[in-house]
Amino acid sequence: MRPFAAVCAFVVIAVSNRVAGDGVLTDPLAIIVKLPAMLGLPSNDYSKEEPSTSSAASTPWPSSSEHQPKPSPIVSSSKHEEPAKPTTSSVYVEPTPSSSAPPPPPPTTSAPPQTSSYSQQPQETQNSGDIPDGQGNNFNVPAGAVRFPWNYNNADKVVPITPKESNGGWAMSPNQMCKPNSWCPYACEPGYYSAQWDPSALVYNGQGSMNGGLYADGSGKLSKPFPSKPFCAPGMFNAGIKNTLGQSVSACQTVYPGNEAMIIPSVAQAGGYVDLNIVPHTYWLGTSSQFYVNLAGSTAEQCIWGNADKPIGNWGPFIFGGGQGADGNTYISVQYNPLYLSVGFKATDAYNVKIECESGQCNFPSGGECKCEQGVCSVDNGCTVTLSGNAKANFVIY
């Protein structure tokens, strides 16, 4: 996340540039004013690696010996305030980001609509304030931990994450437990986002930024901060991954608010399609979604912390980003992961990605395309496409 001084510097530069009459920004830095961090395309600095007890990749990945810090999401400075409620601060100890790189240039042109490949429509989940009692699951519950409330295939569209590890299903690092007097995030199915978080957390890079999900009091009893809202709410449902390869590809969403681990999977099967969770502007503080996208042959098991010798998770070859801005437009983006390239992995060893308009008005960068192909993106450092109104688009993997 961007330090305050850096944000101010970007804003001062940005406001001195013009915005075109059609609402498309004409200067790359100006997008920071119009939509801070709706791109999800940073390369921030982390000082330490997150340990994981999850299984390693089954695919023989390339190797490298050098270690570099991992990227993290750019986030919005716009506020979306929820009703204040008394809470207790988190006891999580995961690292927090310290710097970021500027986003790619903004969109300026449009492409014609194409035939849609969307296979499902969003479905509302129950708004009950009732929290399940485990639904008969046999997930791991270490001594002193709070039990995960759901089982597989539940009506709330909650997805258990590494339930046999210490996290026991919560959207936390595998070696991290949900403990009393803390916030415990959970994951949702592809296309859906967690609609529960600490309502008093109003600073996206400060105290409370890891307070997502349900709150466990001192006795371990869970509470739902917004009882009238569902556990998982439909995202924008206007972007997903169209996989034309003969192998599956997993996109790993970061948990935010939470420890920002890239552990929420969306897997596009060979020749298939999967929705991505593109969040609305009403999501926590207007922040966006970020996905680390793995190599061909990857599954949900590769949505874990990687390292310099194993390009999975935060070391995967691509970063996708997306979110709705306060202006009603949705911004989606793609870039090569700087971390993947920094240790000697070759972009040409990965597949190619292009953003392809499905329907409606999609505004592309100058040149009319947004793609990263054979190690080169159509715009330096990645590109962004604006989806106006009900427009839809795909991240096409080929």
Side-chain angles (χ1 to χ4, degrees):
M1 276 158 271
R2 200 181 303 276
F4 180 77
V7 173
C8 292
F10 277 121
V11 169
V12 170
I13 295 172
V15 295
S16 66
N17 292 284
R18 297 192 310 164
V19 176
D22 59 359
V24 177
L25 302 179
T26 58
D27 182 86
L29 293 179
I31 199 164
I32 297 172
V33 171
K34 177 163 180 159
L35 186 68
M38 281 295 145
L39 309 179
L41 291 178
S43 52
N44 291 340
D45 184 21
Y46 278 71
S47 60
K48 50 186 176 179
E49 196 75 19
E50 176 66 23
S52 172
T53 56
S54 296
S55 58
S58 58
T59 302
W61 308 102
S63 64
S64 174
S65 59
E66 188 178 348
H67 175 77
Q68 295 289 331
K70 69 181 180 67
S72 77
I74 298 173
V75 293
S76 173
S77 60
S78 62
K79 283 189 177 181
H80 172 69
E81 297 190 7
E82 300 289 348
K85 298 192 178 187
T87 60
T88 303
S89 62
S90 170
V91 296
Y92 299 171
V93 295
E94 263 63 13
T96 55
S98 59
S99 63
S100 72
T108 57
T109 60
S110 61
Q114 303 181 29
T115 303
S116 175
S117 64
Y118 285 73
S119 58
Q120 64 171 313
Q121 294 298 320
Q123 298 176 351
E124 293 290 342
T125 57
Q126 65 184 32
N127 290 338
S128 171
D130 296 336
I131 298 174
D133 61 358
Q135 299 179 337
N137 74 51
N138 61 351
F139 301 163
N140 188 23
V141 187
V146 178
R147 185 185 187 188
F148 188 68
W150 293 274
N151 208 334
Y152 291 107
N153 302 316
N154 56 79
D156 293 316
K157 298 187 179 296
V158 174
V159 175
I161 302 296
T162 56
K164 301 301 183 184
E165 306 295 341
S166 294
N167 63 313
W170 297 100
M172 304 165 77
S173 298
N175 63 345
Q176 182 184 12
M177 298 189 304
C178 170
K179 297 179 179 180
N181 295 314
S182 68
W183 287 87
C184 302
Y186 57 86
C188 297
E189 292 181 5
Y192 292 79
Y193 65 93
S194 170
Q196 303 295 324
W197 55 77
D198 181 353
S200 71
L202 301 177
V203 181
Y204 64 80
N205 62 348
Q207 184 175 4
S209 64
M210 292 192 285
N211 295 357
L214 307 180
Y215 182 72
D217 66 14
S219 66
K221 182 179 179 181
L222 295 167
S223 61
K224 188 179 182 185
F226 304 110
S228 64
K229 293 184 179 181
F231 293 101
C232 294
M236 297 302 295
F237 272 85
N238 57 2
I241 296 175
K242 182 179 180 181
N243 182 10
T244 68
L245 305 179
Q247 295 177 291
S248 61
V249 173
S250 58
C252 310
Q253 184 181 351
T254 56
V255 183
Y256 195 65
N259 67 2
E260 297 188 61
M262 63 306 301
I263 56 178
I264 304 177
S266 295
V267 181
Q269 299 297 334
Y273 175 87
V274 66
D275 287 298
L276 291 178
N277 170 27
I278 308 299
V279 293
H281 70 87
T282 54
Y283 187 62
W284 182 68
L285 303 186
T287 53
S288 60
S289 302
Q290 176 172 287
F291 307 83
Y292 292 87
V293 189
N294 286 315
L295 291 165
S298 56
T299 67
E301 291 185 354
Q302 281 75 55
C303 285
I304 57 174
W305 295 94
N307 55 54
D309 295 314
K310 188 179 298 180
I312 60 176
N314 58 310
W315 294 73
F318 290 95
I319 299 174
F320 295 173
Q324 184 189 38
D327 58 5
N329 293 324
T330 297
Y331 298 82
I332 61 174
S333 51
V334 58
Q335 75 167 110
Y336 285 110
N337 185 353
L339 190 59
Y340 175 85
L341 302 175
S342 69
V343 294
F345 295 122
K346 296 180 180 179
T348 52
D349 289 340
Y351 45 77
N352 304 311
V353 178
K354 64 180 177 180
I355 295 178
E356 185 177 77
C357 193
E358 283 283 347
S359 62
Q361 183 70 22
C362 302
N363 296 326
F364 282 75
S366 178
E369 62 181 3
C370 177
K371 66 180 181 180
C372 292
E373 184 177 74
Q374 293 297 304
V376 178
C377 293
S378 54
V379 176
D380 290 343
N381 300 319
C383 51
T384 305
V385 174
T386 304
L387 309 182
S388 300
N390 296 322
K392 295 181 178 181
N394 288 329
F395 292 88
V396 180
I397 293 176
Y398 58 102

